[in-house]
Amino acid sequence: MSIRVDRDLCTGCGSCVEICLYNGVAMINDIAQITDDCNLCGACVDVCPVEAIVIEREELKAEKMDLTQYRGVWIIAEHFKNKIHNVVFQLLGKGRELADALKVNLSLVILGANFDDNLKEFSQYGADEIIYIKSSILKDYYSDLYVKTLTELIIEHKPEIILIGATPMGRDFAPRVAKRVNAGLTADCTGLTIDIESRNLLQTRPTFGGNIMATIKTPTSRPQMATVRPGIFKPLKKSKRKVIIKKIDYDYNQKDSVSKIVKIINREKKKINLEEAEIIITGGRGVGSKENFKLIEQLADCLNAEVGGSRVAVELNWIEQDHQVGQTGKTVSPKLYIACGISGAIQHIVGMQGSEIIVAINKDPKAPILKLAHYGIVGDLQKVIPELIKKIKKIRTEKEI
Amino acid sequence: MKIFVCIKQVPGVSEVKIDPKTNTLVREGIPSITNPYDKNAIELALSIKEELGAEIAAISMGPPQAEEVLREALAMGVDRAFLLTDKAFAGADTLATSYTLSLAIKKILKELKKDEKYIVICGSQAIDGDTGQVGPELAEELDIPQITYVQKFQIKGDKVIVERIFRTEEVVVIETNFPVLISVLSEINIPRNPTMSGIVDAYQKKEIHYLDAERLKADKAKIGLDGSMTQVWKIFIPERKGEHIILTGTIEEMVQNLCENLKEDKIL
């Protein structure tokens, strides 16, 4: 494997130097030259207008995989307290689109204990088939049992694509399954499309904290596995479909797992669901005080919205951690996101840039958030928000009449 | 007991900025740091050593300058440091990375005495790639159990007892045997700062062991770009969607204008 520059083709335009994240290419006498810092990421290959940079991969000795044996799109279900995680329905929506493009079946795979009565309902979200592995111990999550069961199913059925929610649980078993079946796995995808000719899944994900997007493919092996953050894709509207249900009983018991769940400590469940919210009002440092944060809550109330906070707002204890939006908090994609007193640090933007409409209220005209926002108001939020509340209430009453 | 801590050098992500005029990266002055979660992993290893006694080996894969994060680990108190560096490792995805790390661990495990236990500790994810995949893949490669997202860790005799957090509503207490790989959350501890004498030792008394593909007897088809199932096909800077309007006028006018726009967008 090597990377080289065709000196005759290189025009010295410098696009490669600009795109490189690693200082892996430099201009020497107006010709691009690869440096020791090159990480072979391929960004320069893609950006070069004259195709002067090439990465050559050695033909692997390992036998080439027969990709045509692999067909179908799978969604692996996650559940908690007998409830299927919302991301599963979102993945079924996206999975339907991918399966249609590839003209193959979409399957929902559930490892669980008490879902017999729900299968009919689950069949309305786009799947052609539900594979339900039933075992009483699988009401809880056992890492090794998930990996073992899924690996066996994958080897038997050979799906070409497997999508999993990028939740802590998904991120626990997906890599281990990928390693066991020697599959490529792309984490935290925000975009998935099919290259019809090669049947490759093009997996787009944010990297370097979301400033840069990378599109990843797995051209030489199957299955292609990807985890997807909750809240990125939309579920389909429920509709009646003909669905094949395969229920298989497994007689797992405690001894089959190397780990033992000693106890489960329940913590207070907060009634907040930022990932699913249609409207979110978020406050940051500029809100000024815990007292002022009530303004954010009032605005949220009148819009029937959820309240979010930046990292600073959480650290200052103006709002609880569960409400944090950003890299170390939640990733959200509401229809409307109103950022109040938030400057727009990258870590925050990563968590909310998928919002359909972004409104920013900030008194600093140079705040980066104003460049991202669809509508920006430069002003004192203590004056802007009360005015906004007044206006919205007026619109709401007009509508009712 | 032997403790392996896997650490990664990452760019201080918050510093990576885009020049809005040219839509390209501003790279000047990006500092390299130890991945913050990996410092929690080091701290946990040190606290286990202090309580029960152990030898700690820190392992990192990366370019030669990743030596810095290993020096920091040595300064914090780890006993040995191994840098896996080779041009042939470049372009590795998580599968190839976990394979390479496992070779180093297996090499050191040959020193393991009869009945001596070992554990592997990782941070739950790196702040640059953010995948959290290397830990579980490494556990699979070593064929040992894993527990991820750990916020509390305890050794009781022959057992390891941890608290794992997948969701805010629930803490799961899990018991397992040695050996085990765990990945830790930042809640687990507060990493110590190196002492002055620690820093001096890290540079003067302790050394960094370099391991390349040959010394690790790596299978060429499993390392670097050639060993990676996933390939980066395209890297791009996302374009911002839609128009960007800075509203002007008095507060009343701006709010009026905003509401009209939101009505048009069918939000209100």
Side-chain angles (χ1 to χ4, degrees):
Chain A
M1 140 224 83
S2 64
I3 181 165
R4 59 182 180 82
V5 179
D6 188 324
R7 298 177 65 89
D8 298 331
L9 290 178
C10 178
T11 59
C13 72
S15 316
C16 48
V17 179
E18 266 173 32
I19 193 86
C20 181
L21 297 172
Y22 305 98
N23 292 324
V25 54
M27 276 298 152
I28 295 168
N29 298 330
D30 286 339
I31 300 275
Q33 199 158 322
I34 307 299
T35 74
D36 283 348
D37 290 329
C38 171
N39 195 29
L40 292 174
C41 78
C44 54
V45 177
D46 189 55
V47 80
C48 178
V50 293
E51 294 177 18
I53 309 179
V54 275
I55 292 184
E56 287 160 344
R57 292 163 76 97
E58 270 169 42
E59 277 297 311
L60 300 187
K61 285 199 192 99
E63 41 188 304
K64 274 201 176 156
M65 196 178 225
D66 179 9
L67 305 185
T68 61
Q69 286 186 15
Y70 290 77
R71 286 291 180 264
V73 178
W74 278 17
I75 312 297
I76 313 295
E78 166 170 357
H79 53 83
F80 173 61
K81 296 204 161 141
N82 287 328
K83 197 177 166 291
I84 297 283
H85 195 296
N86 287 326
V87 72
V88 176
F89 302 110
Q90 297 159 12
L91 290 179
L92 282 169
K94 188 66 191 183
R96 184 70 262 160
E97 185 191 313
L98 302 177
D100 287 343
L102 290 163
K103 299 193 173 66
V104 293
N105 277 348
L106 173 66
S107 310
L108 170 64
V109 181
I110 307 173
L111 277 60
N114 305 307
F115 290 111
D116 300 67
D117 300 337
N118 309 96
L119 298 178
K120 216 172 171 186
E121 201 226 321
F122 299 160
S123 68
Q124 297 175 51
Y125 289 92
D128 300 301
E129 176 190 58
I130 296 178
I131 302 173
Y132 173 36
I133 305 299
K134 189 180 170 185
S135 180
S136 60
I137 194 173
L138 292 175
K139 78 174 175 28
D140 294 312
Y141 173 71
Y142 285 87
S143 193
D144 51 353
L145 296 183
Y146 260 67
V147 174
K148 180 176 184 295
T149 314
L150 288 171
T151 310
E152 287 167 5
L153 289 172
I154 291 166
I155 291 169
E156 184 187 341
H157 296 279
K158 298 189 170 56
E160 61 196 303
I161 292 173
I162 303 173
L163 305 181
I164 298 151
T167 58
M169 183 181 136
R171 287 161 151 239
D172 185 79
F173 71 79
R176 195 142 189 168
V177 170
K179 186 93 200 180
R180 201 167 291 181
V181 301
N182 206 22
L185 170 64
T186 307
D188 272 348
C189 298
T190 56
L192 295 170
T193 52
I194 298 286
D195 175 54
I196 298 287
E197 204 182 316
S198 63
R199 298 177 76 90
N200 283 335
L201 180 65
L202 304 179
Q203 309 155 96
T204 299
R205 68 179 305 261
T207 186
F208 280 89
N211 254 337
I212 299 155
M213 305 297 284
T215 302
I216 314 269
K217 58 180 182 176
T218 314
T220 57
S221 79
R222 296 287 182 270
Q224 308 161 87
M225 294 177 64
T227 62
V228 178
R229 279 205 174 189
I232 302 282
F233 299 124
K234 302 264 181 273
L236 296 176
K237 286 213 176 83
K238 277 200 211 178
S239 67
K240 283 225 166 93
R241 301 179 59 93
K242 241 177 115 180
V243 175
I244 301 162
I245 292 179
K246 289 183 187 159
K247 194 179 112 183
I248 310 161
D249 286 298
Y250 274 47
D251 58 349
Y252 281 138
N253 63 55
Q254 178 61 60
K255 283 195 197 107
D256 292 313
S257 174
V258 292
S259 325
K260 197 170 104 189
I261 295 179
V262 182
K263 65 176 168 185
I264 293 174
I265 306 162
N266 288 306
R267 298 198 294 191
E268 194 189 334
K269 160 102 177 118
K270 304 259 166 53
K271 257 189 12 201
I272 101 146
N273 197 347
L274 285 175
E275 281 118 326
E276 306 285 317
E278 297 227 320
I279 304 180
I280 299 174
I281 321 293
T282 315
R285 189 196 295 275
V287 175
S289 68
K290 193 162 187 166
E291 189 59 32
N292 288 352
F293 220 87
K294 287 190 183 132
L295 266 180
I296 308 287
E297 284 155 22
Q298 286 163 15
L299 178 58
D301 271 351
C302 87
L303 282 166
N304 214 358
E306 293 281 1
V307 178
S310 70
R311 185 179 182 143
V312 178
V314 171
E315 277 170 2
L316 291 170
N317 213 11
W318 295 346
I319 186 160
E320 283 166 50
Q321 159 103 56
D322 282 17
H323 294 258
Q324 190 182 323
V325 174
Q327 189 168 16
T328 44
K330 303 270 164 57
T331 303
V332 300
S333 52
K335 284 193 175 141
L336 174 64
Y337 187 91
I338 306 185
C340 308
I342 286 178
S343 65
I346 283 305
Q347 291 91 331
H348 186 78
I349 289 174
V350 180
M352 48 65 78
Q353 60 192 355
S355 308
E356 270 175 47
I357 303 273
I358 298 165
V359 175
I361 305 170
N362 204 300
K363 62 175 187 242
D364 176 9
K366 286 191 195 130
I369 191 92
L370 290 167
K371 289 198 185 112
L372 183 80
H374 300 89
Y375 306 110
I377 292 183
V378 179
D380 180 357
L381 60 90
Q382 290 199 57
K383 291 182 186 138
V384 177
I385 294 178
E387 180 65 28
L388 189 55
I389 293 173
K390 205 169 91 189
K391 200 90 211 166
I392 290 164
K393 281 188 177 157
K394 199 172 151 222
I395 295 170
R396 288 275 147 104
T397 26
E398 277 167 9
K399 264 197 180 167
E400 275 164 28
I401 298 160
Chain B
M1 178 164 38
K2 276 197 170 39
I3 306 175
F4 298 93
V5 187
C6 299
I7 62 179
K8 184 180 184 187
Q9 187 178 45
V10 295
V13 153
S14 61
E15 306 296 323
V16 180
K17 287 183 179 142
I18 305 287
D19 182 333
K21 279 187 200 132
T22 57
N23 212 30
T24 55
L25 284 167
V26 179
R27 283 181 314 256
E28 282 94 60
I30 302 172
S32 286
I33 56 169
T34 302
N35 179 47
Y37 294 96
D38 300 350
K39 284 201 180 176
N40 297 104
I42 297 171
E43 178 59 40
L44 177 61
L46 294 170
S47 65
I48 296 169
K49 179 182 172 172
E50 282 158 5
E51 196 193 325
L52 301 165
E55 187 200 53
I56 307 169
I59 302 173
S60 186
M61 183 179 107
Q65 61 266 30
E67 184 196 313
E68 291 162 29
V69 299
L70 287 168
R71 292 278 179 209
E72 189 179 10
L74 289 171
M76 283 172 78
V78 313
D79 301 296
R80 299 157 84 192
F82 296 85
L83 179 59
L84 319 184
T85 190
D86 195 318
K87 282 252 115 191
F89 298 152
D93 71 356
T94 61
L95 283 175
T97 304
S98 58
Y99 167 73
T100 313
L101 289 171
S102 78
L103 293 179
I105 292 177
K106 284 176 184 167
K107 191 176 162 74
I108 304 164
L109 276 178
K110 287 188 186 143
E111 306 163 3
L112 207 67
K113 295 181 196 83
K114 200 172 172 271
D115 295 329
E116 191 182 358
K117 296 172 198 146
Y118 80 92
I119 54 172
V120 183
I121 310 176
C122 303
S124 58
Q125 65 205 59
I127 59 167
D128 57 348
D130 237 345
T131 74
Q133 288 176 183
V134 171
E137 287 172 349
L138 177 58
E140 175 67 18
E141 194 75 63
L142 294 168
D143 197 19
I144 62 175
Q146 76 195 37
I147 308 174
T148 56
Y149 299 91
V150 170
Q151 69 147 12
K152 234 182 195 169
F153 176 93
Q154 214 186 346
I155 294 174
K156 269 198 182 158
D158 282 344
K159 302 278 182 197
V160 169
I161 300 166
V162 306
E163 287 186 16
R164 182 189 72 194
I165 300 226
F166 276 178
R167 323 174 164 76
T168 44
E169 310 95 276
E170 187 191 69
V171 179
V172 179
V173 184
I174 298 173
E175 184 186 284
T176 194
N177 303 317
F178 286 94
V180 65
L181 178 145
I182 62 161
S183 77
V184 297
L185 293 166
S186 56
E187 287 86 346
I188 196 161
N189 55 37
I190 299 165
R192 69 193 64 186
N193 288 318
T195 59
M196 219 38 213
S197 66
I199 295 170
V200 172
D201 285 356
Y203 284 90
Q204 289 179 359
K205 287 195 186 150
K206 296 175 178 172
E207 59 175 330
I208 289 175
H209 305 275
Y210 291 84
L211 294 170
D212 58 14
E214 202 189 317
R215 296 193 64 183
L216 287 171
K217 298 194 180 70
D219 178 347
K220 285 248 155 44
K222 287 184 166 182
I223 56 170
L225 194 62
D226 290 335
S228 300
M229 292 294 166
T230 58
Q231 294 177 9
V232 177
W233 177 57
K234 208 166 91 173
I235 284 189
F236 57 99
I237 293 165
E239 280 177 32
R240 295 197 306 261
K241 293 177 268 188
E243 16 171 18
H244 302 273
I245 305 170
I246 300 289
L247 305 168
T248 51
T250 64
I251 285 177
E252 207 168 302
E253 286 163 355
M254 288 193 288
V255 169
Q256 172 74 25
N257 193 338
L258 173 65
C259 290
E260 274 164 19
N261 273 304
L262 291 180
K263 264 201 255 177
E264 250 174 62
D265 295 330
K266 298 196 167 58
I267 297 275
L268 284 182

